[in-house]
Amino acid sequence: MSTVAQTRPRPRRTWSATLRRLPWWLAAAALAIGCLLWIYPFLWMVSASLKTSAEVFTQGLGLLPDNPAWENYERAWSSAQFGKYLLNTVIVTVSTVVVVLVRCAMAGYVLARHDFRGRRIVMGVLVATLFVPAGYTIIPLVDLSQQLGLLNSLTGMIVAMSGAANVSAILLYAGYFRGIPKELSESALIDGAGFLTVFFRIMLPLAKPVTATVTVLTFLNTWNAFFLPLVFTFSRPDLRTVSVGMLAFVGENTTDWSGMAAAATISLLPVVALFVVLQRYFVEGIAGAVKS
């Protein structure tokens, strides 16, 4: 038994419906153009890493190289010792992120959950440090590091990078911990748990979104730092980080622009990978802390 499918003719879209959707199409086109303008410098950097130094200037804003020069990456990795700089950066960045996470999480927890004498003074001092430029503290920081024997070392760089106030991270943790019901910590204290047990086994696992946010922000700040690593490795070029290592492509008379673009592309990959993995928690951490 055969059946004949009957199809109804679709109603034609009227001009009024099209005109009503026109602002949405215009907004989408404007956002697409803005997105292209935003990511174009990154696309040009990747394109320049596959060009010769002559093509970087002759092609101007063009993105497609004539013949991809993959040897630029080999030259940046081995000849310019960028592999060593990348390893130094990973060591400094990971160590700094761990120290900042533990220190800021504990400080934010105490400020949010405990009402002690001088709490407002501590908060005022922390907020006041936001208005102190980083360059103003470099001289006493270097002098103290030299007296402690930490200058010209990765350990000294880690202590200097993680020893900043990190007020934004502390406030993010404080805002998030303030929104957690106090019954959770009180019930744990009744059961015999101590302060550190409550913090590390109950409160800190609940703050995963803020931890991801602080991780991303600290990672970006440490990975892209230039002035402090430059000062701490001035007499030890082998301890340079990737941002300072870019100086290896600048000579007295010439600059290896294609090699520098290749090195910049390599240094950008870990940042993009970290943000892709933690982007959902990053957004949740910002929204949760602001809401609290």
Side-chain angles (χ1 to χ4, degrees):
M1 183 175 179
S2 61
T3 59
V4 179
Q6 296 180 357
T7 58
R8 296 181 180 179
R10 295 182 179 178
R12 296 182 178 179
R13 182 175 294 179
T14 59
W15 280 104
S16 60
T18 304
L19 291 177
R20 284 197 300 269
R21 296 186 62 86
L22 183 59
W24 294 98
W25 290 109
L26 293 177
L31 290 175
I33 295 174
C35 180
L36 180 61
L37 294 176
W38 181 264
I39 66 174
Y40 181 82
F42 301 99
L43 296 178
W44 188 89
M45 180 186 66
V46 176
S47 173
S49 67
L50 298 174
K51 298 177 181 178
T52 62
S53 298
E55 287 178 341
V56 171
F57 294 98
T58 57
Q59 287 193 355
L61 299 178
L63 295 178
L64 297 178
D66 295 335
N67 294 311
W70 297 102
E71 60 272 12
N72 294 335
Y73 287 90
E74 193 278 332
R75 185 172 69 256
W77 185 264
S78 58
S79 300
Q81 298 183 350
F82 207 75
K84 182 185 296 185
Y85 301 152
L86 188 64
L87 178 61
N88 295 335
T89 308
V90 171
I91 295 173
V92 172
T93 303
V94 173
S95 302
T96 302
V97 168
V98 172
V99 174
V100 170
L101 284 177
V102 176
R103 182 172 57 84
C104 293
M106 297 187 71
Y109 176 70
V110 171
L111 291 174
R113 311 287 294 206
H114 297 272
D115 190 9
F116 55 91
R117 184 177 299 178
R119 176 174 173 271
R120 293 187 177 181
I121 297 177
V122 173
M123 291 290 294
V125 172
L126 288 175
V127 174
T129 59
L130 291 173
F131 302 96
V132 179
Y136 285 17
T137 61
I138 190 65
I139 295 178
L141 186 61
V142 171
D143 183 62
L144 180 61
S145 300
Q146 188 174 10
Q147 293 180 10
L148 295 175
L150 298 177
L151 197 62
N152 299 320
S153 66
L154 293 181
T155 304
M157 197 185 309
I158 293 170
V159 173
M161 296 293 293
S162 60
N166 300 112
V167 181
S168 301
I170 295 176
L171 295 180
L172 282 174
Y173 271 112
Y176 198 87
F177 285 135
R178 194 177 293 115
I180 298 177
K182 293 184 177 180
E183 290 75 12
L184 290 176
S185 58
E186 291 175 353
S187 60
L189 292 175
I190 293 175
D191 292 338
F195 174 82
L196 294 179
T197 303
V198 173
F199 174 74
F200 284 105
R201 301 189 64 177
I202 298 177
M203 291 300 174
L204 192 58
L206 293 175
K208 287 182 180 179
V210 178
T211 300
T213 303
V214 176
T215 298
V216 172
L217 295 178
T218 308
F219 187 94
L220 291 176
N221 182 52
T222 309
W223 191 274
N224 298 323
F226 177 80
F227 187 45
L228 192 61
L230 176 64
V231 174
F232 270 77
T233 61
F234 192 76
S235 59
R236 291 286 304 275
D238 57 307
L239 298 180
R240 288 178 175 177
T241 58
V242 290
S243 57
V244 183
M246 294 293 178
L247 297 175
F249 300 95
V250 180
E252 293 184 6
N253 301 317
T254 59
T255 300
D256 186 3
W257 296 107
S258 57
M260 184 182 296
T265 303
I266 295 174
S267 65
L268 187 65
L269 293 179
V271 178
V272 175
L274 179 70
F275 187 79
V276 169
V277 173
L278 300 179
Q279 60 176 341
R280 180 169 65 90
Y281 298 102
F282 178 81
V283 176
E284 290 179 0
I286 293 292
V290 173
K291 183 178 179 181
S292 300

